[in-house]
Every structure is written in C-alpha cells, then in structure tokens.
Amino acid sequence: MQSPILKESQSGFPSDARPMPQELLSPQLQSERLTLRAPETADAHAIAHLANNINVASKLSRMPHPYTVADAANFIARVASGAMGKCVYAVTRTDNRAFLGGCALEETDGGRGLEIGYWLGEPYWNRGFATEAAQTLIDHGFHTFDADYIDGRCRVMNTASRRVLQKCGFQFQGTGMASSLALGGRVAVEWFRLDRKTWDSLRHWGGAR
Ligand SMILES: CC(C)(COP(=O)(O)OP(=O)(O)OC[C@H]1O[C@@H](n2cnc3c(N)ncnc32)[C@H](O)[C@@H]1OP(=O)(O)O)[C@@H](O)C(=O)NCCC(=O)NCCS
C-alpha cells in the first residue's frame, strides 16, 4: 500500500522527494495534548478503522480505498524498515493514548525543502488536533533539518486542510493537479509554503522566545 499521508509527489508538482537519512531517527514529539511517535504494530486496527473512510481517503493522493488492516500492517512495517523515511508519525492523545491519525515530513528539492502531510480520523476533526500536530512537526522540521521551506498541498475543496496550513503560517503559491488513488483520477490542488524566515518571525512575534 501507499502512505496515507498526502505528499508533494502525489500533487502533480515536480518532485524529487526521497526518504530521510537513516541517522535522523525521529524522536518522540510532545505538544499540549498530543504525542507524536512512530507507528506501532498495535496501531494497525486503529489505523484501518479510521483510514477506511472515503472522506479521508478522497483528500489524500495515495491512500487506497477501501483500506484494510493488512494495508495498515504493511504501512507500519514499511515505516519501521525506514523505507518511508524517518519522519512519519502516529498522532496520539497523550492523556488516553488514543490513535488519532498520522503526519509526516519528507525531504524534497535535494534537501532544500520539506513536504508536510497529515490526516486525522473523522471523529477527531475540528478540535484543533491537526493544527497542533502540524505546528509540532513544523518546529521539529526546522529545528532538525537545514531546509529553507516546508510545502503543503491540499485539494481546492479541502477547506479544513487549507485552514490548518493558514494557521501554521503557510502562504499560497499556486495551483496544480494531483493524482487521487481513492478517486481513481486527478484532482485540483493548492500549493502553500512556509519559509524558514516566516516561521522564525511568527515564533518570535510579540517577543516570545
Ligand atoms: C484536514 C484535517 C487534517 C483537519 O484536521 P482538524 O483537526 O479538524 O483541523 P483543525 O481543527 O486543527 O483545524 C480545522 C480548521 O478548519 C475549519 N473548518 C473545518 N471544516 C470547515 C468547513 N467546511 N468550512 C470552513 N472551515 C472549516 C475549522 O473551523 C478549523 O478552523 P478554525 O480553527 O479557524 O475554526 C482533517 O479534516 C482530515 O484529516 N481530513 C481528511 C484528510 C485530509 O484532508 N488531510 C489533509 C490533506 S492536504
């Protein structure tokens, strides 16, 4: 199966996305409510339960539909092998350890850029979890990698994802087409970018360090 995370290589924009260097093993990340950690074998049923939803799959380029426990187990094994890079995270709640969804960063443009992707199970939408996860991952990305920018892409009709990118400081760059495995065709997408200087400026706005 393919990654359930929307990435540039699915968007129709030129890409040389490749896995993260093995030595850059992703540490567990914490935010106010969330723990971002490596996907585990025990997540397979939760992943399949939440990912097997056309309202999720139709917003992502490479998520198959229907999505089975075997797909999830294969995905977890590929992440563990390093085949998908080392910045692929399960998004979980810290208080009850519930699996909510996934997010990832992938190097592009020979390491000059990163591409962010994320998805959450529908029961967890509209509670700020994706924004919290994305901001945590973005901070990790800019602190860990030398990338000048992080790109994000969403379908034109994906108001929620566009809003997540806006709340993270991304700026509109253009439009294009991307393939959709679940829909079996190509869809219109918008391309956003957060450059390092803008991220740094937003982080320090108001004197916060
Ligand atoms: C996109 C997605 C990750 C957002 O997750 P989320 O946890 O609900 O996001 P947040 O709660 O952090 O923010 C969502 C924002 O979109 C807004 N929003 C959601 N649906 C909306 C709609 N139909 N119209 C207008 N605004 C909408 C919310 O109000 C919120 O904005 P606000 O904080 O300014 O009120 C989630 O919907 C999802 O997983 N969708 C399927 C997969 C997907 O689209 N992944 C991204 C691919 S690019």
Side-chain angles (χ1 to χ4, degrees):
M1 63 153 269
Q2 301 289 322
S3 164
I5 309 298
L6 177 66
K7 291 176 180 161
E8 188 282 335
S9 48
Q10 306 137 9
S11 72
F13 289 86
S15 171
D16 65 349
R18 57 187 170 82
M20 293 291 185
Q22 286 285 325
E23 64 273 19
L24 295 174
L25 298 178
S26 296
Q28 185 167 292
L29 306 176
Q30 298 287 152
S31 61
E32 184 181 347
R33 296 173 295 172
L34 302 176
T35 297
L36 275 51
R37 58 157 176 78
E40 299 168 354
T41 305
D43 295 327
H45 283 272
I47 292 175
H49 175 67
L50 296 176
N52 187 32
N53 178 349
I54 193 64
N55 294 329
V56 173
S58 63
K59 313 284 180 34
L60 301 165
S61 281
R62 290 186 290 186
M63 179 179 275
H65 186 78
Y67 191 101
T68 67
V69 174
D71 289 326
N74 188 22
F75 164 70
I76 293 163
R78 291 185 64 214
V79 173
S81 75
M84 299 183 64
K86 290 294 179 183
C87 217
V88 181
Y89 282 103
V91 178
T92 68
R93 283 196 67 138
T94 302
D95 56 1
N96 61 9
R97 300 187 178 186
F99 176 92
L100 309 185
C103 63
L105 286 175
E106 185 177 40
E107 277 190 311
T108 60
D109 196 16
R112 282 191 58 232
L114 295 167
E115 179 89 14
I116 191 169
Y118 44 79
W119 69 275
L120 291 183
E122 193 165 355
Y124 304 111
W125 291 1
N126 292 321
R127 290 149 71 178
F129 288 132
T131 303
E132 187 174 325
Q135 290 175 347
T136 304
L137 195 59
I138 289 162
D139 287 348
H140 172 66
F142 278 129
H143 281 130
T144 307
F145 301 99
D146 291 331
D148 297 329
Y149 58 84
I150 300 177
D151 282 341
R153 288 171 172 81
C154 65
R155 287 185 63 186
V156 170
M157 46 69 75
N158 195 347
T159 308
S161 185
R162 182 187 306 110
R163 187 77 190 116
V164 170
L165 293 171
Q166 289 171 341
K167 289 192 288 183
C168 293
F170 284 73
Q171 294 166 342
F172 179 75
Q173 303 292 312
T175 57
M177 298 297 288
S179 61
S180 167
L181 188 61
L183 298 177
R186 291 172 69 75
V187 295
V189 296
E190 293 181 347
W191 167 33
F192 293 83
R193 175 167 289 181
L194 175 65
D195 65 85
R196 181 178 287 275
K197 284 187 178 177
T198 301
W199 167 75
D200 195 52
S201 174
L202 291 171
R203 296 275 296 168
H204 295 105
W205 198 341
R209 288 279 162 185

